[in-house]
Amino acid sequence: DALDRLASAIREADSTVALTGAGVSTASGIPDFRGEDGIWNAQFDPADFQVGRFRSDPAGFWEDRVKLHEAMFPGEIEPNAAHEALAELESQGWLDALITQNTDGLHGAAGSKELFELHGNAHRIVCMDCGRKIDAASVRERVREGESPPLCDCGGLLKPDVVLFGESLPEAIMAEAQRRARESDVFLAVGSSLTVEPAASLPKAGARDGLLAICNFDPTPHDDRTDVLVREDVTEVLPALVARLDA
Ligand code: OAD
């Protein structure tokens, strides 16, 4: 079956690289963006989270951002079986790099090491002036208490350390992710609609000389170039893949 094909391709590959999206974290209680109950479908408007909005109306941006954060991270969040399987694939030597669009920090929490967080990390805040990075929870608390927009000790404007719409990705991280994707023999895209550039182009680079596998509930724009397409739950498929590789 599809999983057997994928497992044997990974066994033969010099390099396997994975790209993840919000779908790997839905089982941890974090909604995705464009799936069935996605954040952008009903609750929030991506236009409110543009970098232009942050610049022109930082106070309004921050108040919406705190609400977005509460919707995205409703409680204590922990890695699930998908994060754990990806960390295990790496520790067993099957996975060389993990590229993620997620800002939830759950891959790091699960133990993934060779990790590229393309869209930053929502647990950190960065000062636009001095570049200092601080913990996000205390800053959100300050906004809830009425300090909006929140400012750094240096007087600079604070911004979530994530990539906003209209902002470019951290160049060095993206360049390295592209190189890893190009050089991979197997590229595994899981839990992402593959619609947000430039991350959405990585599967194309990955598929150039290698095998492309996609595991996602909803269709993606890359489905017709995919060698292995699995429309099942990532929290079941990834542990099953680990088991096949163990066998
Ligand atoms: P999306 O919400 O666009 O896609 C998540 C996909 O995961 C959907 O197509 C779902 O069908 C699928 N899915 C959800 N749970 C799943 C499960 N348990 N098993 C299999 N599939 C599942 O999220 P991303 O592709 O990550 O940008 O979105 C990309 C970027 O758009 C995000 O990084 C974010 C957003 O705006 C920034 O934060 C900059």
Side-chain angles (χ1 to χ4, degrees), residues 21-23 26 32-35 40 101-103 119 163-165 191-196 215-218 232-235:
T26 50
D32 62 15
F33 297 96
R34 299 172 191 79
W40 300 148
Q101 302 166 84
N102 299 344
T103 62
H119 293 164
V163 175
L164 304 178
F165 287 112
S192 174
S193 63
L194 302 175
T195 51
V196 177
C215 170
N216 202 60
F217 281 153
D218 286 313
E232 286 162 45
D233 194 325
V234 290
T235 61

Side-chain angles (χ1 to χ4, degrees), residues 223-237:
D223 289 0
D224 49 9
R225 74 172 94 237
T226 306
D227 304 289
V228 176
L229 182 63
V230 186
R231 287 213 195 288
E232 286 162 45
D233 194 325
V234 290
T235 61
E236 285 164 22
V237 173

Side-chain angles (χ1 to χ4, degrees), residues 8-186:
S8 56
I10 291 176
R11 273 203 197 89
E12 283 162 25
D14 286 329
S15 170
T16 294
V17 170
L19 169 70
T20 65
V24 295
S25 294
T26 50
S28 293
I30 305 173
D32 62 15
F33 297 96
R34 299 172 191 79
E36 209 173 347
D37 301 309
I39 289 260
W40 300 148
N41 285 345
Q43 293 166 275
F44 293 96
D45 181 353
D48 291 334
F49 301 94
Q50 299 271 353
V51 69
R53 202 288 171 108
F54 172 73
R55 291 204 192 97
S56 63
D57 174 23
F61 170 91
W62 262 105
E63 284 144 33
D64 286 342
R65 173 76 198 176
V66 168
K67 287 183 206 141
L68 176 75
H69 193 94
E70 283 163 0
M72 280 179 68
F73 305 108
E76 276 294 298
I77 53 156
E78 278 175 21
N80 63 52
H83 302 104
E84 278 154 17
L86 286 162
E88 214 168 315
L89 286 174
E90 181 183 6
S91 69
Q92 293 176 354
W94 299 119
L95 187 69
D96 284 328
L98 179 56
I99 305 166
T100 188
Q101 302 166 84
N102 299 344
T103 62
D104 55 33
L106 289 179
H107 286 304
S112 286
K113 303 273 183 279
E114 199 62 14
L115 177 63
F116 299 88
E117 291 181 315
L118 295 182
H119 293 164
N121 191 309
H123 302 299
R124 287 189 313 253
I125 301 291
V126 62
C127 171
M128 300 299 283
D129 284 355
C130 71
R132 199 176 137 207
K133 301 211 174 181
I134 52 179
D135 176 62
S138 61
V139 175
R140 285 193 303 272
E141 193 48 41
R142 282 159 56 189
V143 174
R144 276 187 216 103
E145 285 166 3
E147 185 194 332
S148 184
L151 301 177
C152 181
D153 291 343
C154 81
L157 185 58
L158 293 173
K159 179 185 147 309
D161 197 12
V162 301
V163 175
L164 304 178
F165 287 112
E167 235 181 349
S168 41
L169 271 60
E171 225 166 280
I173 298 179
M174 187 58 200
E176 183 63 10
Q178 264 156 346
R179 187 181 71 79
R180 298 296 191 107
R182 265 196 317 272
E183 291 176 1
S184 67
D185 302 306
V186 175

